[in-house]
Structures are given as structure tokens and as C-alpha cells.
Amino acid sequence: MGLAGGGPGAFIGPVHRMAAEMDGRIELVAGAFSSSPEKSRTAGESFRIDPARAYAGYDEMLRAEKQRSDGIDFVVIATPNNLHLPMAKAALEAGIPVVSDKPATATYEEVLELEKVVAKAGLPYALTHTYAGYALVRDARALCASGELGEIRKVAVEYMQGWLSQPIEKTGQKQAGWRVDPALSGPGGCIGDIGTHAFHLVEYITGLQVTAIHGTLRSVVEGRRVDDDCTALLKLNNGALATLLASQIATGERNSVRIRIYGTKASLSWAQEDPNYLHVLHVDGREEIRHAAGPYLTADARAVTRVPGGHPEGYLEAFAVLYREFADAYWAWRAGNKNPLPPTLPGIVAGVRGMRFIERTIESNRMGKWVEF
């Protein structure tokens, strides 16, 4: 793989590298790691790649790698959101498959353009909604699909962080700086950074689709030009309602992702900070705690489990599941499969839905009422 982003001070770029290489299917061999040529070279040294393949710019990487007999097989985009569309478009038009960090683009108009580019190119395109890779998220998804919960009546999802509860962007903190700059992040702040994860979990696990939104966005920290707090009500296409909370000013919270789904026969609850347990409450009063790697888990969950029960798997392993599935999809595409991505791996459809969520919530907040999805 080639990596765009991930230079000195980056968070998610090195995570992509670790996750991609975990299963021995993928190797980082090239990158344009920073807009600064010097920093890109420094990053290349830290990643221990050939210095000649630590490029000064993204376009240079694509051109040079296309000319090599051992050039990159796909590119990973781990940059601020404003670069997602131009980078993905350049790679796909050059015949190079793409794995992109979320959200897919900076704006809804951009993702519609990207959707057309993906369709025309006919190449694998995946979006790294990390939480989709957890075994017990896959288990919850399969339980919903099987009817184990009965008809779904209510969903509550939340993604709470506290790291932006103070204006740390004013101290030069790199990760905060671009996330609160609409020129780099797009019009959505918290809602784009973590709200899209919460939204994706609702549709991914339940198999339902959001049809309308009533959202309230706030910029709590003085001077911010994008939201740092979101509260939304969602209508689902079976008539159920969902609540979605996403905040980066929830003081003291680290990375609290939690989803609860209530059906007519049972309900379930999963929390990302304690990811190896899925709680299922049955209508007759029984409480079931499903453990990661349990032999009773659904086939979808067992398929992404690497180690026996009692050996916890977490964030990096979940991320690596997505890369393992992408590697399988890549070879299926090379063998002639025109639609190689499995339904468990988010792609351009999830990208469009996520950007629509941002756009519709911003519009609902502006109008102060429900808006159709």
C-alpha cells in the first residue's frame, strides 16, 4: 500500500499502517506522508521504507508508482477531509484502488462526485468505519438480521469525547487545529469527526435506514466555527425512533462509543471501551452476556476473531479486520469480480449516507425542525 498522510504528529495514519500490516496481507511500501517534503522523508524513515519512495507530494507518488513494476496496489487516504475527494479521484482515475478514512469527503456535493468517480472506475473503494470491524458489533448485526431481537422499536447511540472541551487548537495542537477549521474539515466539526461513526453504527447494526432527522448542533467552546456538540433524533424506515448524541466537549470522557437496540423480543447493548462483551436482555427476564471468541457467537463474529476467549482484542484488531476484508476484495477484483467488497466492509454507499447525515443535520439545525433524509 501507499499512504497519504501519517506524517509527524499524525494520529490516524500510523494506526492505518499498524492495522493494515497486522495479518501479514499488506505492506506499506510508499507514501506522501506530509505536505512538507522534509517531514515526508522523516516519516518514511520512521516507517522504514525505501527513501526513494517517501515522496514530496501525492501526485508525485501516483506518477512514480504507476511507472514501477512493483508499484503500489492501492492507496490509503489519511489526511484532513478537504483532501479526500481530490486524492481519491486522482488515484481511481489512475487505476489505483482506494481505502479512505472517514468521512468520505468534506461536503455532500463532493461525495456525490466521488460516487460517480467510483462507479466509472470500477475499482475497490473502502471506508474505514473502524467500529464495524469489532467481532461483537458483527455479532449484534447478525442478531438483528436473524430476528433474534424481534421488531426493533428504539435505538440509542452515543459517541462522547472530552478532548476538545478546552480550546486546545489555540495551543498549536495539530489534531485539534484542522478538525475545528471548516476549510479543512468541511462544515461539520464533531458531527463529521465522530457523529458519522455513531450514525453508521445505527444503520450498520440494525439494517434499517434513517428517513428523517431533527438535529441540534452547538459550538460550545467560544470562537469555534464548527460544531463541537450534537444532539439528534432519527426516524427509521420501520417507524422506530433513535437518539444520537455526539460530543467532543464531554469533559473527562475518552472515547465512549455505546449503542443500545431495543426490540419486541430482546435488546442488546455494546460499548467500545469494553468491547469484548455484548449484553442481551430477553423479554422473559434472562440476561445474556456474550463474550468475544465464544463458540456460541454468530458465524460473522467468529469469522473475525483471531484468538481464543479471554485474550482481549480491541481497536487495532477491529481496524485490521477491515484491511483483511479489503485484501480479500482486492484479489477478488483482480480475479474479475466487479463487486468484490463484502457487505460487512463499508464502501462508497456508507460514504454517501454519512455525508448526507452531516448535510441533513446541519440543515435541520438551521431550520429548527425535522428534515427528510
Side-chain angles (χ1 to χ4, degrees):
M1 79 182 203
L3 176 60
F11 158 60
I12 204 64
V15 169
H16 276 276
R17 185 268 182 100
M18 288 185 283
E21 294 189 340
M22 183 174 290
D23 289 314
R25 304 284 301 280
I26 296 167
E27 180 185 7
L28 174 65
V29 296
F33 304 109
S34 172
S35 57
S36 161
E38 181 180 350
K39 290 181 179 180
S40 188
R41 286 193 296 270
T42 299
E45 292 172 0
S46 70
F47 289 138
R48 299 182 181 180
I49 67 169
D50 179 349
R53 301 176 81 175
Y55 296 98
Y58 181 74
D59 291 338
E60 179 189 351
M61 177 177 72
L62 295 185
R63 286 195 303 269
E65 291 296 316
K66 284 294 288 184
Q67 294 172 4
R68 296 178 64 107
S69 60
D70 62 347
I72 58 173
D73 295 308
F74 72 99
V75 68
V76 174
I77 300 171
T79 66
N81 305 342
N82 66 308
L83 297 176
H84 289 189
L85 172 62
M87 286 185 167
K89 183 177 180 181
L92 292 166
E93 290 180 345
I96 300 173
V98 170
V99 172
S100 177
D101 206 56
K102 47 76 358 230
T105 56
T107 68
Y108 182 60
E109 291 74 18
E110 286 183 352
V111 83
L112 295 179
E113 180 180 351
L114 178 60
E115 184 180 32
K116 294 176 182 176
V117 173
V118 171
K120 182 178 180 180
L123 304 176
Y125 171 91
L127 196 66
T128 52
H129 276 294
T130 312
Y131 307 109
Y134 278 96
L136 289 176
V137 168
R138 299 284 175 96
D139 198 49
R141 186 174 189 266
L143 290 177
C144 288
S146 72
E148 182 76 15
L149 271 61
E151 182 182 357
I152 292 172
R153 292 171 164 172
K154 182 79 172 181
V155 180
V157 65
E158 62 182 53
Y159 196 149
M160 309 298 280
Q161 295 179 336
W163 73 293
L164 290 179
S165 59
Q166 300 297 320
I168 61 173
E169 63 270 21
K170 296 180 180 179
T171 69
Q173 214 274 7
K174 178 180 178 180
Q175 297 305 312
W178 76 259
R179 283 174 168 82
V180 300
D181 182 350
L184 301 178
S185 69
C190 167
I191 192 176
D193 193 28
I194 63 175
T196 49
H197 276 306
F199 171 80
H200 181 259
L201 279 176
V202 172
E203 295 198 332
Y204 184 82
I205 295 177
T206 67
L208 301 172
Q209 288 194 319
V210 172
T211 59
I213 297 176
H214 195 310
T216 299
L217 301 175
R218 301 190 301 158
S219 299
V220 175
V221 174
E222 186 177 355
R224 287 212 174 126
R225 292 176 291 161
V226 295
D227 63 279
D228 51 22
D229 184 70
C230 168
T231 303
L233 295 175
L234 313 175
K235 290 181 181 178
L236 305 178
N237 61 343
N238 73 335
L241 289 177
T243 60
L244 185 152
L245 303 179
S247 182
Q248 292 177 311
I249 51 87
T251 303
E253 292 285 5
R254 290 175 284 272
N255 200 60
S256 181
V257 183
R258 186 182 182 192
I259 186 165
R260 289 167 288 173
I261 302 172
Y262 299 92
T264 54
K265 297 194 294 186
S267 65
L268 61 80
S269 175
W270 179 81
Q272 191 267 159
E273 290 186 345
D274 192 17
N276 289 281
Y277 301 92
L278 177 67
H279 294 259
V280 181
L281 304 177
H282 295 271
V283 71
D284 61 8
R286 289 179 294 121
E287 180 175 359
E288 179 184 0
I289 302 176
R290 298 167 72 87
H291 298 250
Y296 44 79
L297 297 183
T298 57
D300 285 352
R302 296 197 305 273
V304 298
T305 299
R306 293 178 176 82
V307 293
H311 300 79
E313 295 190 60
Y315 181 77
L316 288 176
E317 289 85 355
F319 219 126
V321 164
L322 305 185
Y323 272 105
R324 187 169 69 187
E325 290 184 330
F326 185 81
D328 289 339
Y330 173 84
W331 289 113
W333 167 70
R334 288 284 298 269
N337 186 336
K338 294 182 179 180
N339 296 290
L341 262 65
T344 49
L345 179 60
I348 189 60
V349 172
V352 173
R353 295 289 295 176
M355 293 310 302
R356 183 66 170 171
F357 164 68
I358 296 171
E359 188 271 340
R360 291 283 78 194
T361 306
I362 291 173
E363 181 67 4
S364 173
N365 180 71
R366 184 186 71 81
M367 297 180 67
K369 66 179 183 179
W370 283 96
V371 296
E372 297 298 313
F373 200 87

